[in-house]
Amino acid sequence: MKSEKLKVKNPKLCIALDNPSKEENLKLINELKEYADNLWLKVGFRSYIRDGNDFIKYLKDMEYNIFLDLKLYDIPNTMADAALEIAKLGVDMFNVHASAGKRAMQEVIKRLQNLKKRPLVLAVTALTSFDDEEFKKIYSKSIKEKAKEFAIDAYESGLDGVVCSVYESKEIKEATNQNFITLTPGIRPFKEESEDQKRVADIKTAKSNLVDFIVVGRPIYKSKNPKKVVEKILKEILWKNFYYH
């Protein structure tokens, strides 16, 4: 991408539904119902395996946007078959692993292309639980270098964006396109403890790195007043725009 003036967008808030029980997740989403138009909900392995397709339907009936976070990784045909079944659930976004390769990512998009409305498809680059030393042992390159390579592969394969840390987002957009989505886990909106995440950031840092979606989990669902935390995050997101050159 050429050195054009890139305007920072207000990122969308995506809440990770990682509570230990379905009942706790339901309590949370019912408390936040008035903000459904401004929120996305991330349903990961734990919630999906435990609560299944009926849970997805319930969230959709409440008019939430759903990101199904299953990180598909298999042979190309199997990934494409699974992607089509995911699309039939009516979710708005899901992800695959970029390390499955370009052929697999291309097959996923090909399988979905005839749908009247397909979900957004993102590729996972490097999990935010990795530090650089751990990552190099597996991929033989730094996180920043390999995440950029994976993002270019995903972009060239026709995907809509990638899952990455805040610290790779800006460079990925410069290497692809400003409209290529970056979704970033590991957001600690008010500098909370990072726990098992290694590459974390606050909202201001996410905005300065051109992030499109921020994922927040524990700071919201572990709070005694999740609604107040969400209100505070939404206000922070709407903080004045600025420009990156």
Side-chain angles (χ1 to χ4, degrees), residues 16 18 42 69 71 95 97 123-135 139 143 147 162-169 172 182-188 194-201 211 213-218:
D18 292 335
K42 183 177 83 69
D69 178 24
K71 304 178 181 71
N95 56 4
H97 262 291
V124 176
T125 55
L127 300 175
T128 51
S129 57
F130 275 124
D131 61 24
D132 218 45
E133 184 179 350
E134 291 173 315
F135 189 83
Y139 294 100
I143 291 173
V162 291
V163 180
C164 61
S165 87
V166 164
Y167 305 104
E168 294 95 53
S169 175
I172 283 170
T182 54
L183 177 146
T184 61
I187 299 297
R188 296 294 180 262
S194 61
E195 300 184 62
D196 60 344
Q197 302 276 23
K198 299 288 178 63
R199 291 158 22 251
V200 302
V211 169
F213 287 84
I214 59 170
V215 179
V216 183
R218 282 166 280 206

Side-chain angles (χ1 to χ4, degrees), residues 37-154:
D37 289 346
N38 297 304
L39 299 177
W40 284 64
L41 301 178
K42 183 177 83 69
V43 178
F45 278 124
R46 185 187 201 180
S47 293
Y48 184 70
I49 290 170
R50 182 186 63 219
D51 305 325
N53 294 347
D54 288 344
F55 183 59
I56 298 292
K57 184 178 185 305
Y58 181 84
L59 299 180
K60 289 304 299 178
D61 288 345
M62 291 188 73
E63 300 183 346
Y64 280 105
N65 295 300
I66 309 302
F67 167 37
L68 187 57
D69 178 24
L70 299 183
K71 304 178 181 71
L72 301 184
Y73 190 172
D74 212 305
I75 63 173
N77 188 63
T78 300
M79 284 177 62
D81 287 343
L84 186 57
E85 295 303 322
I86 287 172
K88 290 175 183 177
L89 297 176
V91 302
D92 304 281
M93 181 162 64
F94 72 94
N95 56 4
V96 303
H97 262 291
S99 53
K102 291 180 76 171
R103 188 160 60 89
M105 291 189 283
Q106 289 165 356
E107 192 65 27
V108 165
I109 294 300
K110 182 180 177 183
R111 193 67 57 89
L112 301 177
Q113 66 185 1
N114 292 325
L115 296 178
K116 191 172 183 180
K117 182 184 177 184
R118 71 164 177 84
L120 297 171
V121 185
L122 308 184
V124 176
T125 55
L127 300 175
T128 51
S129 57
F130 275 124
D131 61 24
D132 218 45
E133 184 179 350
E134 291 173 315
F135 189 83
K136 280 181 179 177
K137 287 179 181 177
I138 300 170
Y139 294 100
S140 302
K141 291 187 178 182
S142 71
I143 291 173
K144 194 164 188 177
E145 185 180 5
K146 193 62 184 175
K148 181 179 173 181
E149 287 183 11
F150 277 150
I152 292 170
D153 285 348

Side-chain angles (χ1 to χ4, degrees), residues 16 18-20 28 195 217-226 229:
D18 292 335
N19 272 309
L28 176 65
E195 300 184 62
R218 282 166 280 206
I220 294 174
Y221 66 73
K222 284 190 173 182
S223 169
K224 291 180 180 178
N225 191 339
V229 176

Side-chain angles (χ1 to χ4, degrees), residues 17-31:
L17 295 181
D18 292 335
N19 272 309
S21 73
K22 179 180 179 180
E23 290 69 32
E24 288 168 281
N25 278 338
L26 290 174
K27 182 176 183 292
L28 176 65
I29 61 178
N30 279 292
E31 285 180 14

